[in-house]
Amino acid sequence: MTTTQVVNPATEQVVTTLELVSAAETDAAIERAQRAGADWRAVAPGDRARLLRRFAEAVDANLEQLAQLEVANAGHTIGNARWEAGNVRDVLHFAAGIPERLLGNQIPVAGGVDITFHEPLGVVGVIVPWNFPMPIAAWGFGPALAAGNTVVLKPAELTPLTAIRLGELALEAGVPEGVFQVLPGKGSVVGRRFVTHPAVRKVVFTGSTEVGKEIMAGCARQVKRVTLELGGKSANIVFADADLERAAATAPYGVFDNAGQDCCARSRILVQRSVFDRFLELLEPAVRGVRVGDPSAESTEMGPLISAAHRARVASFVEPSTKVAFTGTQPDGPGFWYPPTVVLPDAPSDRVLTEEVFGPVVAVVPFEDEADAVRIANDTEYGLSGSIWTNNVGRALRVSRGVEAGNLSVNSHSSVRYWTPFGGFKQSGLGRELGPDAALAFTETKNVFIAT
Ligand code: NAP
Ligand code: MG
């Protein structure tokens, strides 16, 4: 029996010890999910909707407990953790609207009737990273269940606690046994089986681009469907005509939220050269003012990194030769802390500009004009999100169309709403989650012609 210790990253204390699921147990769970699928897809749309609504209500009734679990397991600030549990509830309520609205087409044809159906795929495997354990899980299992699939879900080994609780809440809400199973275990064991087991018809993966490529290649052997949400190196583009005070005051939260462990982190701030110095002057107090510390305190804005190993990786981006403009604060004592850090790269090839740091390190770079801003923003393998700060509506729209990224915000840093589509261009991913079409990613379109 392999076990894992779940560690609180703010205190380095062991929260609990868990047994990890083996390959044989994974196979058994996948086969249970396959058997449960026959009944689940036959549940009347209104009844499936009602079960998802009850699941949402169970999440809401346990929102504070889920949030506290995430604070202890992932070091998320309590404010963020409450939002994340609320997001699971909202995704489930939105998903509850799907079964009765999974509309097909009736297409005019000669000699008969032609109709389309959105058939469930079967068993869906969801592989979740440690950075947003609750929302990322729900973006997969909510619409997948709504469309009539059964789900096996693997949380990250570092952060399994909220997913395990969500699995219990589904059962308490009346979701039948085998329909939604949470399997804490290793990526190389449980995650790998999702890719290789032929009964799993789709893999939804969020995590590193490196592992995502491996998963895509593995799935290719069975032409298995995949949705991939991978890394990012998003740009926050600040034009001279923007409200500079607001752009500077909000920029830290666009990158340091969740300690920068966010695929949407705006980890490159591009500033028009004419206001570059002024922007840095305004940014400094904003960065120093980020409240870093005990994530369970209501006023805390940034907690620790997830692990000692991850902190070492983040720290490796700030080399002795790196020009550090200024840093924020970090508490003393135990915990995997790293301060908000602003760096001024020497060259476009600097690692801190080309690789995803996944920590509270942001690079600030000047640009000349609109075309230069778009060119720099697109000078990356990634294309997940980004922000554009300007008071010129035409420019906001031109630049929004020019930046190769899936999720942009103008004069804001918001990326995610459960009712709008989310996903990446280029090596940031494949497919979309959330939004009006969320369920279609978990169905096959079937066309039926009936001769009359
Ligand atoms: P990762 O290795 O990509 O892990 C993500 C998930 O995939 C985890 O549940 C992991 O399981 C699982 N996994 C790992 N190898 C697998 C395999 N061969 N087959 C199937 N599943 C597998 O990410 P990480 O190592 O935690 O983080 C590394 C870097 O990835 C970060 O520093 C960051 O740059 C990036 N990242 C991006 C996101 C994002 O939201 N886009 C999220 C997380 C990480 P276990 O970890 O439990 O073994
Ligand atoms: Mg890994």
Side-chain angles (χ1 to χ4, degrees):
M1 190 77 65
T2 321
T3 60
T4 189
Q5 287 189 332
V6 176
V7 173
N8 181 327
T11 63
E12 303 184 35
Q13 300 289 309
V14 175
V15 179
T16 185
T17 301
L18 279 181
E19 281 172 17
L20 293 178
V21 169
S22 68
E25 287 164 331
T26 305
D27 284 4
I30 291 168
E31 280 139 36
R32 262 196 309 279
Q34 195 178 19
R35 284 194 299 276
D39 287 339
W40 180 243
R41 68 165 65 195
V43 171
D47 291 336
R48 206 187 299 145
R50 230 183 321 278
L51 282 169
L52 290 169
R53 240 173 261 129
R54 280 171 51 178
F55 186 5
E57 279 152 19
V59 170
D60 195 49
N62 290 272
L63 190 143
E64 189 59 25
Q65 185 205 31
L66 286 163
Q68 295 292 349
L69 267 181
E70 207 67 285
V71 173
N73 189 170
H76 288 198
T77 63
I78 182 64
N80 278 10
R82 288 185 186 125
W83 182 90
E84 291 158 18
N87 182 252
V88 177
R89 171 202 58 212
D90 294 344
V91 167
L92 282 167
H93 273 304
F94 187 73
I98 288 170
E100 293 151 313
R101 293 175 180 80
L102 206 49
L103 308 180
N105 285 324
Q106 175 268 310
I107 300 171
V109 288
V113 175
D114 192 284
I115 48 177
T116 64
F117 296 91
H118 296 297
E119 303 285 14
L121 301 172
V123 181
V124 171
V126 181
I127 302 174
V128 181
W130 46 259
N131 62 327
F132 288 110
M134 281 192 276
I136 291 171
W139 303 352
F141 70 68
L145 294 173
N149 304 277
T150 54
V151 172
V152 285
L153 183 138
K154 192 203 91 65
E157 193 184 340
L158 293 173
T159 56
L161 298 186
T162 49
I164 291 170
R165 185 68 190 124
L166 288 170
E168 294 167 357
L169 290 172
L171 287 174
E172 287 170 23
V175 173
E177 294 270 351
V179 169
F180 174 48
Q181 300 174 79
V182 175
L183 310 176
K186 289 188 181 298
S188 54
V189 178
V190 179
R192 215 176 141 268
R193 256 338 250 149
F194 291 1
V195 173
T196 56
H197 198 302
V200 176
R201 295 296 170 80
K202 170 156 190 165
V203 173
V204 178
F205 170 83
T206 304
S208 61
T209 296
E210 187 191 355
V211 174
K213 287 177 186 175
E214 237 179 84
I215 294 211
M216 191 173 174
C219 286
R221 287 190 201 111
Q222 295 169 20
V223 198
K224 191 173 287 195
R225 278 69 182 136
V226 283
T227 294
L228 303 173
E229 298 290 357
L230 309 176
K233 195 73 208 175
S234 298
N236 173 11
I237 308 174
V238 181
F239 286 96
D241 65 14
D243 177 343
L244 276 195
E245 276 74 18
R246 228 160 65 76
T250 58
Y253 303 96
V255 58
F256 301 142
D257 190 60
N258 206 32
Q261 303 166 121
D262 182 341
C263 45
C264 289
R266 277 68 167 169
S267 56
R268 296 181 297 153
I269 306 180
L270 317 185
V271 184
Q272 195 151 17
R273 195 180 294 279
S274 57
V275 295
F276 189 82
D277 292 342
R278 177 69 187 135
F279 181 83
L280 279 181
E281 267 170 36
L282 292 166
L283 184 63
E284 182 165 352
V287 168
R288 294 199 195 282
V290 175
R291 290 191 291 266
V292 184
D294 176 4
S296 64
E298 298 283 339
S299 62
T300 296
E301 294 176 321
M302 190 183 118
L305 293 171
I306 191 67
S307 66
H310 187 57
R311 178 174 60 186
R313 187 176 173 277
V314 169
S316 78
F317 283 91
V318 183
E319 293 162 23
S321 62
T322 305
K323 230 176 274 160
V324 175
F326 39 85
T327 64
T329 61
Q330 69 166 86
D332 300 323
F336 309 123
W337 302 99
Y338 198 84
T341 301
V342 178
V343 305
L344 303 172
D346 288 322
S349 57
D350 279 11
R351 264 181 80 220
V352 74
L353 280 177
T354 59
E355 292 177 34
E356 181 172 49
V357 178
F358 227 58
V361 179
V362 69
V364 191
V365 174
F367 69 84
E368 304 303 332
D369 55 17
E370 207 177 294
D372 198 35
V374 171
R375 180 189 63 75
I376 299 171
N378 290 340
D379 186 19
T380 167
E381 306 276 278
Y382 294 113
L384 191 52
S385 73
S387 304
I388 297 146
W389 288 78
T390 174
N391 281 326
N392 178 324
V393 176
R395 168 171 292 146
L397 283 169
R398 283 193 302 275
V399 176
S400 297
R401 298 301 298 273
V403 173
E404 298 164 334
N407 303 86
L408 295 169
S409 41
V410 174
N411 298 330
S412 152
H413 296 299
S414 76
S415 293
V416 174
R417 292 180 181 77
Y418 59 84
W419 65 104
T420 62
F422 178 76
F425 279 34
K426 301 194 280 187
Q427 294 194 28
S428 282
L430 186 73
R432 291 293 178 272
E433 298 189 283
L434 306 175
D437 299 329
L440 297 184
F442 297 101
T443 63
E444 293 285 7
T445 299
K446 179 183 286 172
N447 191 72
V448 177
F449 170 75
I450 305 160
T452 51

